[in-house]
Amino acid sequence: MHGPDHEHLDGGSYSDDDLRWPAVRVGEWRADGREVDVYFTDDGHGHAVRDADRLRELAGS
């Protein structure tokens, strides 16, 4: 995932609303027994780490 800021490549942090759809998909795929990896590209502000942690929380991981 590349960040929601259309003005800057890999910029910005995702809101919970932005992360809910992928969180639901991750939960569904894991319930089907699939291993799921999601990658976030980072910017100089460390948004990827926070976004990945929040996605994990929303997906119930």
Side-chain angles (χ1 to χ4, degrees), residues 1-21:
M1 299 180 70
H2 294 287
D5 185 345
H6 299 289
E7 300 295 318
H8 300 93
L9 181 63
D10 300 335
S13 183
Y14 290 98
S15 69
D16 281 3
D17 286 340
D18 291 331
L19 293 172
R20 279 194 180 87
W21 185 88

Side-chain angles (χ1 to χ4, degrees), residues 21-38:
W21 185 88
V24 169
R25 300 293 81 73
V26 167
E28 290 173 347
W29 296 329
R30 290 182 72 228
D32 287 342
R34 298 177 187 176
E35 183 175 322
V36 180
D37 295 313
V38 178

